[in-house]
Amino acid sequence: MSLLQQILEIEPKAKLLEPDAHTRQNWLNRVSHYAHQFIDELPANPAYRPAQNLDAYFSISQQAVATDEILQHLQSGMLAQGLNPASGGHLGYIPGGGLYAGALGDYLAAVTNQYAGMYYAGPGAVKMENELIRWLCRMMGYPPTAHGNLTSGGSIANLIALVTAREAFELRSADIPRQVLYFTDQVHHSMHKAVRIAGLAEAQSRCVPMTKNFRMDVQALELQIQRDVHDGYHPFFIVASAGTTDTGAVDPLLEIAELASNHGVWFHVDAAYGGFFKCLSNDPSSKLLAGIEKSDSLAIDPHKGLFLSYGLGSVLVKNTGALYKAHYYKASYMQDTLEAPGEWNPADLSPELTKHFRGLRLYMALQWHGFEPFKAALQEKLWLCRYFYHEVQRIGFTVGPYPDLSVCIYRFERPGCDLAALNKSIVDHVIKKGRVFLSTTNIGGEYWIRLAVLSFRTHLQEINWCLEDLEEGLAWIMRS
Ligand SMILES: *Cc1c(COP(=O)(O)O)cnc(C)c1O
């Protein structure tokens, strides 16, 4: 057979990858039916189910499989197992979201497959993402010259910020052992990972003491910086948390900013969880977040505070030139855009080249809903957490500090008891019941149960369920 004949013969087989309109519509109908059913059944379904043996699922077939079978495997192998992050009963860790409008944005991003890495290839996609980044910058009080990148999440955002600072200070390997990084024991572990990945493991990390509400003790920070300078070290990078994972605590940003500026230290704010509460200007939380605009860089996650599905974080950097210098490759002509009204290439501001067009989900959700419902939902989460803080004491639990944002820690205390074992039993009881999911933590050797309110599907009903189930768990413990 000639090559030409072979090509003609194989073409219909290769073309199976482009289903006809009828098949596309059929698939879409089935998937959409599945998605609607999933959403409609969320309130009746548990927030957590213990994982079963998964060996029977997801063996990868080389042959085409019928739609029914594919969806059935998703249903029983994936969705009927473990934590359901889409559930309003998810009150553990930092809850996720999954706005439907955002999901449709992802659908279109995938179908059109726009190239959101370089302006030249995908000017519309890049322009949209850049406008979203500018919108984030304005919300955080950053100047128009600031820019950033839409990342896969907060971990990569923290890494990009750290690498940018390292390059801004032109640190070379010989300099690293004399550099000092400052954060509290409550800093997110992604920062420790970033330090290692960025080649800074040999720098000095100072764990700054905290005040009793788990915020950074600024006086201790100042003393430590002075001591380090005196000893010939170079204070390099301060990380403040704007909403720690354990307790939602916000470090004193204004005071840290002033110290950082006085000592020429890069000031990074990890606001992956808490940053979006800044838009609630009438809520006390926005006072706590004042000073975020004085940072050199910050991480803020739309897949947390804007309720979008996983895979959308962002890093904002005040000195865009530094971000560019740390991440561009060979496209030195783009430097002109520092002054010229050009558009940044996402590929010059992050380690990624080809990337998911992740801005579209945010754009679609913002345009479809407008911003007001987002603000209402954020406000509601803060109020729900404060409500819980009072109610959980009423049913007999001891609480930690008054919540800065939407995370509350609490536990049942009984003298002479192993508090960890006691509280773990209560949580196990609640999780077994399944209406809500809770997670626990260990702070300074002490066991705490957490409540983290951030799912857009968490309303008063879910918080009341949580209180009821905790009360029931407590009663059950007391009996046994
Ligand atoms: C969630 C979180 C991170 C990590 O973000 P990912 O999006 O999970 O990578 C970092 N810092 C804080 C404070 C967080 O809450």
Side-chain angles (χ1 to χ4, degrees), residues 94 152-156 158 188 190 241 243-245 270-273 301 303-304:
I94 299 291
S152 58
S155 303
I156 301 300
N158 282 334
H188 192 269
S190 60
S241 303
T244 59
T245 306
D270 181 356
Y273 148 61
D301 271 3
H303 70 197
K304 287 180 179 165

Side-chain angles (χ1 to χ4, degrees), residues 409-427:
I409 57 168
Y410 53 98
R411 63 183 172 187
F412 184 67
E413 292 184 349
R414 187 155 69 169
C417 264
D418 177 350
L419 291 188
L422 180 68
N423 283 279
K424 185 174 181 325
S425 306
I426 298 174
V427 171

Side-chain angles (χ1 to χ4, degrees), residues 165-368:
R166 185 194 69 199
E167 292 305 295
F169 283 101
E170 298 184 341
L171 300 184
R172 293 299 162 255
S173 54
D175 309 320
I176 289 171
R178 304 216 69 75
Q179 306 305 311
V180 193
L181 299 104
Y182 304 85
F183 30 67
T184 72
D185 185 44
Q186 286 287 296
V187 78
H188 192 269
H189 74 274
S190 60
M191 212 62 236
H192 296 293
K193 278 172 72 172
V195 167
R196 194 174 68 219
I197 298 167
L200 294 168
E202 286 161 0
Q204 311 302 315
S205 284
R206 305 281 187 242
C207 202
V208 181
M210 293 176 287
T211 52
K212 63 181 183 317
N213 42 17
F214 304 110
R215 298 180 189 154
M216 187 182 282
D217 181 337
V218 185
Q219 273 172 347
L221 173 65
E222 182 161 28
L223 284 176
Q224 184 64 55
I225 291 176
Q226 286 166 352
R227 201 173 308 142
D228 287 329
V229 172
H230 177 265
D231 293 345
Y233 288 102
H234 176 236
F236 155 58
F237 196 82
I238 302 174
V239 188
S241 303
T244 59
T245 306
D246 267 347
T247 73
V250 181
D251 288 331
L253 304 179
L254 274 171
E255 291 153 276
I256 298 172
E258 193 179 322
L259 267 184
S261 147
N262 289 345
H263 291 274
V265 190
W266 188 283
F267 177 32
H268 176 68
V269 177
D270 181 356
Y273 148 61
F276 286 107
F277 290 109
K278 182 163 192 308
C279 70
L280 304 175
S281 49
N282 292 323
D283 189 272
S285 62
S286 82
K287 265 213 191 68
L288 297 175
L289 292 166
I292 205 169
E293 71 283 355
K294 296 189 188 297
S295 59
D296 293 296
S297 55
L298 64 92
I300 180 169
D301 271 3
H303 70 197
K304 287 180 179 165
L306 293 183
F307 319 116
L308 291 161
S309 35
Y310 293 140
L312 184 60
S314 66
V315 60
L316 307 180
V317 178
K318 205 170 266 171
N319 179 350
T320 309
L323 176 63
Y324 174 81
K325 183 179 152 207
H327 293 95
Y328 84 95
Y329 193 73
K330 90 182 165 200
S332 40
Y333 51 85
M334 271 294 289
Q335 249 161 357
D336 302 343
T337 57
L338 275 179
E339 287 108 88
E343 285 297 337
W344 292 100
N345 289 317
D348 288 334
L349 305 179
S350 101
E352 291 180 297
L353 177 56
T354 304
K355 64 183 258 292
H356 178 49
F357 178 20
R358 47 179 81 97
L360 187 53
R361 64 167 75 162
L362 173 54
Y363 179 81
M364 293 284 273
L366 280 176
Q367 300 307 287
W368 243 327

Side-chain angles (χ1 to χ4, degrees), residues 356-404:
H356 178 49
F357 178 20
R358 47 179 81 97
L360 187 53
R361 64 167 75 162
L362 173 54
Y363 179 81
M364 293 284 273
L366 280 176
Q367 300 307 287
W368 243 327
H369 291 298
F371 195 49
E372 283 308 315
F374 288 89
K375 283 167 63 170
L378 285 164
Q379 182 67 72
E380 180 194 29
K381 305 318 153 204
L382 293 176
W383 285 344
L384 287 173
C385 184
R386 292 170 197 162
Y387 165 80
F388 178 88
Y389 174 83
H390 292 294
E391 294 299 304
V392 80
Q393 294 177 74
R394 212 179 40 75
I395 62 173
F397 285 79
T398 302
V399 289
Y402 186 78
D404 281 352

Side-chain angles (χ1 to χ4, degrees), residues 10-66:
I10 207 161
E11 185 178 291
K13 286 182 192 155
K15 275 188 165 169
L16 289 175
L17 290 177
E18 184 76 281
D20 62 21
H22 175 77
T23 308
R24 290 200 304 271
Q25 190 60 54
N26 181 34
W27 285 0
L28 184 60
N29 289 348
R30 300 297 301 277
V31 167
S32 143
H33 174 78
Y34 185 88
H36 290 306
Q37 194 170 350
F38 172 81
I39 293 173
D40 293 339
E41 289 177 355
L42 274 173
N45 273 336
Y48 181 81
R49 286 189 180 106
Q52 313 292 323
N53 185 348
L54 286 170
D55 288 347
Y57 301 101
F58 309 125
S59 61
I60 306 301
S61 164
Q62 301 275 44
Q63 307 300 324
V65 176

